Amino acid sequence: MKTMSAREAKNAFGLMIDTARAEPVRIEKHGRGVVVVLSVEDYERLSARSKIELDARVVAVEGNNVGN
């Protein structure tokens, strides 16, 4: 994961976007990570994965409650 300061991200916004399309970019402010910029494809993949995992947990909980 590439890391940029907030100032670098602001001053090289186009470069940050191009980089984020290839790999997530961690943006730091005062040396601390504050946000991660990632491609739409990565975001959608992670969102879909989170939904699948959440759905699996709901099914597991409902299965444990059967007969209670």
Side-chain angles (χ1 to χ4, degrees):
M1 178 181 311
K2 170 108 171 123
T3 300
M4 300 176 82
S5 71
R7 181 176 302 220
E8 288 172 320
K10 175 184 153 194
N11 291 337
F13 190 74
L15 175 62
M16 181 195 60
I17 289 173
D18 291 343
T19 302
R21 293 181 71 199
E23 66 178 313
V25 179
R26 175 186 168 111
I27 307 299
E28 295 183 345
K29 200 167 187 178
H30 305 295
R32 296 180 54 179
V34 290
V35 296
V36 174
V37 179
L38 59 146
S39 68
V40 169
E41 294 82 10
D42 283 347
Y43 172 78
E44 289 173 347
R45 180 180 50 80
L46 290 170
S47 293
R49 183 174 160 190
S50 293
K51 182 179 182 331
I52 290 168
E53 290 172 359
L54 179 60
D55 290 347
R57 287 187 202 135
V58 168
V59 168
V61 167
E62 288 175 351
N64 288 335
N65 290 332
V66 172
N68 288 340

